[in-house]
Amino acid sequence: MTASDKPNSGNTDTITVIDNKNNQRLDLDILTGEMGPDVIDIRKLYHDLDYFTYDPGFTSTASCDSAITYIDGEKGVLMHRGYKIEELSSQSNFIEVSYLLLYGELPNEQELAEFEKDVKRHSLVDEQLIRFYNGFRRDAHPMAIMVGVVGALSAFYHDSQDISDPKQRHLATIRLIGKMPTIAAMAYKYAIGQPFVYPSSELSYTGNFLRMMFSVPAEDYVPNPVLERAIDCLFVLHADHEQNASTSTVRLAGSSQANPFACIAAGIASLWGPAHGGANEAVLKMLIEIGHKDRIPEFIARAKDKKDPFRLMGFGHRVYKNYDPRAKVLRDSAHDVLSELGIADQPLFELALELEKIALEDEYFIKKKLFPNVDFYSGIILQAMGFPSSMFTVMFAIPRTAGWISQWHEMLGDPVQKIGRPRQRYIGHGPREYVSMDER
Ligand code: ACO
């Protein structure tokens, strides 16, 4: 079978699939987006020609229409609702960006104030949910706790699970964004054996989170404004990223009309893997394993060795084949945080910067367009601020909740949405007779 371009007929471009095997052909419409590559509408391919398409990892497949986030991986561009990430990270804040993702426009002063108040009012969790934590081992990974506790929200908030009711959907949205920092900080406090800290509406979203993480009853806690801003910037940069693995997981779970808490728990599970959100934790483990800058060449050589499964964590990206624009912003933020804390010359950070320098100059990494990604710098920032590496992926899950839930809303409102059900190329046995036990 071959596909060939066909000139425009009328105002619709088409592409013709020519099936030489069965001597048949089919015109498929080419749909144009606002920006980015056009897409070939293959919906009638199976019906008309009895073919599936084959695209493991969905590298060439658009799974939906979306108006939320745009990425141009070749040019290193990331935009939410048309606004560039560089402007949002320097001029906006996480609460405003969440509003933008959810509702499509920047809020006016009153809209922002109401939204923020609403989110803060829903930051407390049900007291009964606190008992859940006691069921976990103290050394449980916080992401394991996040998957469990966020999924368990479905058992507590029955009044926000009817997805056909816009009011309930809104309530679930606000609850998820509001409670996520609380649930995350509680996972940390539980691990270190300190009392849970209740949220405070007096502080900003990130200031409150830092307080729930790092304050203890015996001392007053005032968030450091530089660190508070750095975390807010990190949250803005992680708020959404188009149809990545965890977002697609949320959409797929939601396509069966599962409740929003279950869908977000599914997204957290998907985010956990080291090839996705787990990479920032893996970066730190790798830096500790490298240990000294003299050993960098050894690890670079391993990363290039086809027989060695080792990869340089924090380098490379499925979509960005130029530079990850979020990494650029975070690189500056990392410098601000390290100098604010007076630890810019700590060996681990010197090692990270040396690794970045060497990898950026190395022919293999240049040729394969493997640049430091957002996880490379987020790991450094979070380590410097005192977050244990097990919390790094949690720090990704908190802000990504705003993106997941925005994408979930968009999916539910999409008139062409159906339950997600990919097909397969079957390569197993053909039909055969059952073999009884005594003949095996
Ligand atoms: N170190 C060494 N080589 C690498 C790396 C790396 N980090 N990443 C990719 N490569 C090589 C691959 O071996 C492959 O080489 P080949 O063409 O000779 O076979 C080539 O570059 C392309 O790699 P793919 O795995 O095909 O690229 P893909 O787009 O599927 O993978 C991924 C992207 C998963 C992010 C990959 O670069 C990786 O594993 N990086 C390390 C983990 C990481 O940092 N993940 C965070 C991603 S960002 C995020 O989730 C927010």
Side-chain angles (χ1 to χ4, degrees):
M1 185 162 63
T2 56
S4 67
D5 278 320
K6 199 181 143 199
N8 280 0
S9 52
N11 51 11
T12 317
D13 282 344
T14 57
I15 195 162
T16 305
V17 177
I18 303 166
D19 174 9
N20 292 324
K21 191 171 141 198
N22 300 308
N23 197 21
Q24 52 184 353
R25 55 193 288 149
L26 178 67
D27 287 341
L28 297 173
D29 288 342
I30 296 178
L31 310 178
T32 310
E34 177 64 34
M35 294 182 276
D38 294 343
V39 302
I40 303 169
D41 183 351
I42 59 165
R43 279 175 291 182
K44 60 183 181 183
L45 188 69
Y46 175 53
H47 179 269
D48 288 9
L49 293 191
D50 202 23
Y51 283 111
F52 293 148
T53 55
Y54 180 67
D55 185 20
F58 310 116
T59 54
S60 299
T61 298
S63 59
C64 60
D65 282 335
S66 183
I68 300 176
T69 292
Y70 174 75
I71 300 173
D72 183 333
E74 294 300 324
K75 296 197 183 117
V77 172
L78 167 61
M79 291 190 246
H80 297 314
R81 304 285 190 187
Y83 296 101
K84 284 200 178 121
I85 195 65
E86 291 84 350
E87 285 180 28
L88 292 174
S89 58
S90 61
Q91 293 175 48
S92 183
N93 61 50
F94 175 67
I95 285 291
E96 187 178 72
V97 169
S98 300
Y99 185 101
L100 175 69
L101 292 172
L102 279 165
Y103 306 115
E105 295 296 335
L106 288 169
N108 63 30
E109 220 174 314
Q110 193 194 341
E111 288 165 337
L112 181 64
E114 276 170 18
F115 180 69
E116 185 164 14
K117 194 170 151 210
D118 222 8
V119 167
K120 285 181 176 172
R121 199 185 294 138
H122 286 91
S123 54
L124 206 61
V125 295
D126 189 299
E127 279 293 299
Q128 188 70 8
L129 196 74
I130 296 174
R131 295 189 179 202
F132 249 75
Y133 286 79
N134 295 325
F136 289 103
R137 282 169 52 135
R138 291 272 175 195
D139 62 355
H141 195 287
M143 281 298 276
I145 298 183
M146 295 298 289
V147 174
V149 173
V150 173
L153 293 176
S154 332
F156 285 84
Y157 299 103
H158 300 292
D159 57 345
S160 49
Q161 294 186 40
D162 177 358
I163 61 164
S164 64
D165 178 352
K167 281 203 187 121
Q168 294 205 24
R169 292 213 301 252
H170 173 76
L171 187 54
T173 301
I174 299 296
R175 278 182 169 148
L176 277 158
I177 297 175
K179 293 182 200 316
M180 208 57 140
T182 314
I183 293 170
M186 284 167 71
Y188 171 63
K189 286 295 192 190
Y190 182 72
I192 58 170
Q194 287 185 4
F196 297 139
V197 178
Y198 284 103
S200 157
S201 297
E202 300 294 306
L203 297 169
S204 71
Y205 187 80
T206 37
N208 171 51
F209 173 62
L210 287 173
R211 184 176 159 277
M212 289 191 291
M213 280 289 297
F214 297 120
S215 74
V216 286
E219 288 167 18
D220 286 341
Y221 181 87
V222 180
N224 174 322
V226 175
L227 306 186
E228 186 178 345
R229 175 71 198 130
I231 292 295
D232 197 82
C233 174
L234 189 100
F235 280 6
V236 168
L237 296 174
H238 285 84
D240 191 53
H241 210 235
E242 210 224 57
Q243 308 310 321
N244 53 76
S246 57
T247 302
S248 297
T249 303
V250 169
R251 279 187 177 254
L252 202 56
S255 77
S256 74
Q257 317 212 331
N259 75 69
F261 305 110
C263 295
I264 300 302
I268 296 172
S270 170
L271 184 74
W272 194 358
H276 191 10
N280 51 15
E281 185 177 349
V283 168
L284 210 78
K285 282 191 185 143
M286 178 190 73
L287 290 175
I288 291 167
E289 196 191 342
I290 298 176
H292 193 275
K293 53 186 180 187
D294 292 351
R295 294 187 67 204
I296 292 177
E298 178 195 327
F299 281 82
I300 297 259
R302 282 187 61 193
K304 294 182 197 171
D305 184 354
K306 281 257 156 261
K307 289 184 217 117
D308 191 328
F310 174 78
R311 282 189 168 197
L312 222 45
M313 286 293 128
F315 284 78
H317 197 276
R318 166 57 63 80
V319 177
Y320 294 118
K321 299 301 177 193
N322 190 313
Y323 205 91
D324 181 340
R326 302 166 303 170
K328 245 183 218 164
V329 177
L330 267 196
R331 188 179 195 277
D332 294 344
S333 180
H335 285 284
D336 292 349
V337 168
L338 296 184
S339 43
E340 173 68 17
L341 295 170
I343 53 171
D345 54 357
Q346 267 198 7
L348 192 74
F349 306 126
E350 279 189 338
L351 173 66
L353 296 181
E354 187 66 17
L355 179 67
E356 176 205 36
K357 191 167 151 265
I358 293 176
L360 284 175
E361 288 165 359
D362 190 287
E363 191 54 32
Y364 173 91
F365 286 85
I366 295 170
K367 215 168 130 212
K368 292 198 185 295
K369 300 186 173 177
L370 298 171
F371 297 93
N373 58 44
V374 69
D375 290 318
F376 186 71
Y377 299 107
S378 66
I380 295 170
I381 291 175
L382 294 171
Q383 158 85 3
M385 286 175 64
F387 287 87
S389 60
S390 59
M391 281 295 287
F392 288 5
T393 315
V394 175
M395 295 297 289
F396 192 154
I398 298 170
R400 184 52 60 85
T401 300
W404 287 330
I405 199 94
S406 304
Q407 301 268 354
W408 174 81
H409 277 285
E410 186 176 62
M411 181 215 45
L412 290 179
D414 185 345
V416 302
Q417 187 268 327
K418 287 173 192 246
I419 184 166
R421 176 58 170 92
R423 304 306 298 261
Q424 62 174 13
R425 179 166 70 113
Y426 176 69
I427 54 165
H429 280 286
R432 49 182 176 159
E433 297 289 319
Y434 179 78
V435 183
S436 63
M437 186 61 84
D438 54 349
E439 285 175 26
R440 281 177 222 166

